[in-house]
Amino acid sequence: MRRFALTALVAVTLGTALSAVPAHAHQRPLDLSDCTATACHFDLPPGTYDVKVLLGGDTASSTSITGETRRALLPETAAEAGERVARSFTVNVRTPEGEPTGPDGTAGLDLAIGGSAPALADIKVTPARHTRQIFLVGDSTVCDQPGDPYSGWGQQLPQFLRKGVSVANYADSGESTVSYLQNPQLWATVQPLIHRGDLVLIQLAHNDKTTDGATYRANLETLVAGVREKGGTPVLVAPIVRRWFNSDGTLNNGTALLVNGLGVDHPAVTRAVAAAHDVPLIDLTAKTKSLVESLGVEASKALYLYNEKRDNTHTSVHGATVYAELVRAELVTQHLVPKGLVRVG
């Protein structure tokens, strides 16, 4: 069993800045009773919140934090015996808490305390101020997957970001550019939430199997224009590859590289739209192709769900984390997020 330093869990408080929270939220102070050995629940309305934790206990510890629908919020962090390590992150609380077309989930903010030897010494939650949002528009390879062994790269991205920037993951399983624009739970819900300075990362392709080239391009352009209309910064993300090898050990085929049955080369169209409209591009197709080919047929299975599901499209937690790190690196390299707001260790 995982061990937990209960004696080190000394306080759970909510800052006085919660004046914006409805009065009913103040009926009972949030304290130690809001946490168990492995979880915390805070009765909060939808919004964006800063979370400051103090990790460590009397013995050596190693603690990670996930929240809401299996979002990785803080990577496993070690503390020596008697040491206290402070960490902070910003989290988006919404309904539905995971995929936009999925179940509502649990109201409020839920955090799971994990790691090989978890020890939470203190925690403080306050409404976020001057926070920059990263909205994610995508499909099942990006979304907050509800259950093991699946994970989207967007689900793993928050752990690489510090206090001051949060991820609002509106990716949804099974969506194409066509359905994302048509479903009122998706783009019509996301666009009004975008504010000046927010980033909107757009990766849609895996389900555009019957979308012709002109429509696919027009749909990407519609999303880009819609982000800019609200003062946000659109970022086009070329789709992750499918793990579909040729006999020569390459992924040089239409299945792997997201070319649909009509001959539409989704990554090529994405690159073309980015170039034509001066949109930042994260070329995950090229980056994941290079990585998967370098690992080879056997080692690359761990990135996907081949061993568990014979699935060469959807990623494991490990694979999603590796791909989220690729996104993290591009956010820094292209100066889309200040380096000081990105967790590098």
Side-chain angles (χ1 to χ4, degrees):
M1 292 179 63
R2 291 173 175 169
R3 52 197 174 89
F4 184 89
L6 281 174
T7 57
L9 183 53
V10 297
V12 179
T13 61
L14 193 67
T16 57
L18 275 176
S19 56
V21 177
H24 70 80
H26 296 284
Q27 291 177 355
R28 184 184 60 78
L30 295 172
D31 53 24
L32 187 60
S33 64
D34 294 295
C35 289
T36 68
T38 58
C40 298
H41 172 76
F42 301 95
D43 184 16
L44 298 170
T48 306
Y49 297 90
D50 290 331
V51 180
K52 182 176 181 179
V53 297
L54 195 64
L55 307 176
D58 295 335
T59 59
S61 62
S62 186
T63 309
S64 63
I65 299 178
T66 58
E68 301 296 86
T69 304
R70 302 176 60 237
R71 295 182 223 160
L73 299 173
L74 188 70
E76 190 150 352
T77 302
E80 298 295 331
E83 181 187 17
R84 297 295 183 270
V85 177
R87 293 288 186 269
S88 297
F89 56 87
T90 302
V91 60
N92 173 256
V93 177
R94 60 183 184 270
T95 302
E97 67 179 23
E99 295 180 88
T101 63
D104 284 353
T106 304
L109 172 60
D110 288 283
L111 302 177
I113 314 304
S116 57
L120 179 66
D122 193 12
I123 185 167
K124 184 178 182 180
V125 181
T126 57
R129 302 284 187 251
H130 311 297
T131 294
R132 191 179 192 185
Q133 295 272 29
I134 299 179
F135 290 92
L136 303 183
V137 169
D139 53 36
S140 59
T141 66
V142 185
C143 75
D144 288 349
Q145 290 281 358
D148 284 326
Y150 294 89
S151 181
W153 61 256
Q155 198 165 21
Q156 300 301 321
L157 184 61
Q159 67 185 303
F160 299 115
L161 302 170
R162 298 181 186 275
K163 175 185 173 184
V165 59
S166 69
V167 175
N169 191 349
Y170 283 85
D172 197 70
S173 294
E175 306 301 341
S176 65
T177 57
V178 175
S179 64
Y180 204 95
L181 286 167
Q182 290 178 343
N183 190 330
Q185 293 175 279
L186 300 174
W187 183 237
T189 296
V190 175
Q191 191 193 19
L193 301 175
I194 301 169
H195 294 94
R196 184 167 300 279
D198 289 339
L199 293 180
V200 183
L201 276 57
I202 302 165
Q203 186 212 281
L204 288 165
H206 278 84
N207 299 301
D208 280 279
K209 298 173 183 177
T210 60
T211 308
D212 65 80
T215 301
Y216 183 68
R217 181 181 181 115
N219 289 343
L220 291 181
E221 291 173 334
T222 296
L223 291 165
V224 165
V227 174
R228 286 176 167 168
E229 178 185 324
K230 302 297 290 184
T233 299
V235 180
L236 287 174
V237 181
I240 68 170
V241 295
R242 295 188 181 98
R243 184 190 160 278
W244 198 265
F245 282 94
N246 294 330
S247 58
D248 63 358
T250 70
L251 300 180
N252 296 324
N253 61 79
T255 299
L257 300 180
L258 282 297
V259 179
N260 74 10
L262 301 178
V264 179
D265 186 330
H266 295 103
V269 176
T270 302
R271 296 178 190 117
V273 172
H277 296 279
D278 194 25
V279 178
L281 171 72
I282 297 178
D283 197 342
L284 274 190
T285 307
K287 292 184 176 298
T288 56
K289 178 180 187 292
S290 177
L291 176 60
V292 171
E293 288 180 341
S294 70
L295 290 173
V297 174
E298 289 303 316
S300 64
K301 290 178 179 178
L303 295 174
Y304 292 83
L305 294 174
Y306 180 85
N307 294 324
E308 299 88 347
K309 302 287 185 178
R310 294 297 187 268
D311 186 334
N312 292 305
T313 297
H314 297 96
T315 48
S316 62
V317 170
H318 167 67
T321 303
V322 171
Y323 288 176
E325 288 183 281
L326 296 177
V327 174
R328 182 266 307 268
E330 285 297 298
L331 293 176
V332 173
T333 299
Q334 298 191 41
H335 306 291
L336 295 168
V337 174
K339 189 174 182 179
L341 294 178
V342 179
R343 203 181 306 277
V344 295

